[in-house]
Amino acid sequence: MVKGLYTAFTGMVNEQNRMDVMTNNLANATTTGYKKEGTTSQSFDTVLAYRINDLSTGMNVSTRIGSNSPGVKIGENYVDHSQGSFKSTGNNFDLAIGGEGFFNVEFTSKSGEKSVKYTRDGNFTLNVDGYMVTQDGDYVLGDDNQYIKLNTALDATIDENGNIWQEGNLVSKIKLSDFEDYDYLVRYGENYFEAVEGATPIDTQATVNSGYLEQSNISVVTEMVNMIA
């Protein structure tokens, strides 16, 4: 009886983790550039069961009575980095990456520490000083790892290489980064990813599509079906 209850308990914990992941996906179904999460499960290693100190077999005698499967355990959660569909906005500062890669953003923590984060969310704008920033005010970085500053009085165009032009002059270039193995990227929050120790940067052939935003790669129907199941 105890073994049965424990097995049922491990199944409930595993399903709770799956439910948490699915509800988070659904909550971000309309988040620009959001990447779907998934989860895996594993079975506990089968252990051998023994009868010990049983008077019917004699004291200090252990008798093997079979194998015991303790149930299921939570495996690893993972991120699906497949590209989402593009939505046309007509805004030159709305950018979508075609291919593999990430925008570079300087993130400032509440304690004032600055660090580079990576995102597929290209919903950018210009602040009052002419700097290109995210909707949360974090600075978008150029190819020289510096802030991108434009003249707010002039129109700007951005080509597929990420070059920013004003009145025919090259003003800056948006930096794109990619990594050899996305297992070394972890979610940071604010729709950002953070590179951890072991992340290897590589060149990217991705394109920048001005006037578009990448939608999340979540299928609401699939997540709802999985939730019901």
Side-chain angles (χ1 to χ4, degrees):
M1 181 64 180
V2 174
K3 182 182 74 172
L5 288 175
Y6 182 80
T7 301
F9 164 75
T10 60
M12 292 175 63
V13 171
N14 184 68
E15 289 303 306
Q16 180 63 57
N17 179 64
R18 290 184 63 242
M19 184 68 73
D20 291 342
V21 171
M22 286 186 288
T23 52
N24 186 58
N25 285 339
L26 287 171
N28 287 281
T30 59
T31 300
T32 303
Y34 185 83
K35 298 305 176 186
K36 170 185 175 181
E37 286 188 316
T39 183
T40 61
S41 58
Q42 302 171 329
S43 61
F44 279 104
D45 295 333
T46 299
V47 297
L48 298 178
Y50 292 87
R51 180 186 292 114
I52 59 175
N53 294 335
D54 190 326
L55 295 178
S56 64
T57 59
M59 295 298 292
N60 300 321
V61 176
S62 61
T63 304
R64 178 177 172 179
I65 60 175
S67 60
N68 179 27
S69 178
V72 65
K73 61 182 177 180
I74 298 173
E76 294 183 354
N77 290 355
Y78 62 90
V79 178
D80 178 3
H81 285 277
S82 61
Q83 184 169 296
S85 59
F86 288 176
K87 176 183 178 181
S88 176
T89 65
N91 183 345
N92 287 346
F93 295 111
D94 284 339
L95 306 176
I97 298 176
E100 297 180 342
F102 300 86
F103 297 111
N104 292 245
V105 174
E106 184 184 85
F107 175 78
T108 303
S109 66
K110 292 182 179 179
S111 62
E113 296 181 358
K114 299 181 184 297
S115 59
V116 177
K117 306 302 180 190
Y118 305 94
T119 184
R120 297 278 296 194
D121 184 356
N123 188 12
F124 303 141
T125 187
L126 297 182
N127 63 15
V128 293
D129 296 319
Y131 290 102
M132 184 179 289
V133 295
T134 67
Q135 294 299 312
D136 294 321
D138 297 321
Y139 291 98
V140 181
L141 298 180
D143 218 29
D144 54 0
N145 290 320
Q146 300 298 314
Y147 300 159
I148 298 173
K149 185 174 183 179
L150 306 179
N151 187 338
T152 56
L154 302 176
D155 292 333
T157 59
I158 304 174
D159 63 27
E160 64 178 15
N161 294 318
N163 296 312
I164 306 176
W165 304 84
Q166 287 190 307
E167 289 193 331
N169 298 315
L170 179 61
V171 179
S172 185
K173 182 178 181 180
I174 296 170
K175 183 176 183 178
L176 297 182
S177 296
D178 198 16
F179 298 90
E180 186 177 277
D181 190 344
Y182 288 169
D183 287 341
Y184 293 97
L185 292 179
V186 296
R187 286 197 186 279
Y188 185 81
E190 307 291 341
N191 211 7
Y192 291 152
F193 289 95
E194 181 178 38
V196 298
E197 184 178 355
T200 304
I202 59 174
D203 293 333
T204 176
Q205 302 300 318
T207 59
V208 176
N209 298 272
S210 177
Y212 294 88
L213 288 177
E214 181 184 3
Q215 304 300 287
S216 70
N217 61 353
I218 295 169
S219 169
V220 175
V221 174
T222 299
E223 295 301 313
M224 288 297 296
V225 169
N226 290 337
M227 183 177 292
I228 293 170

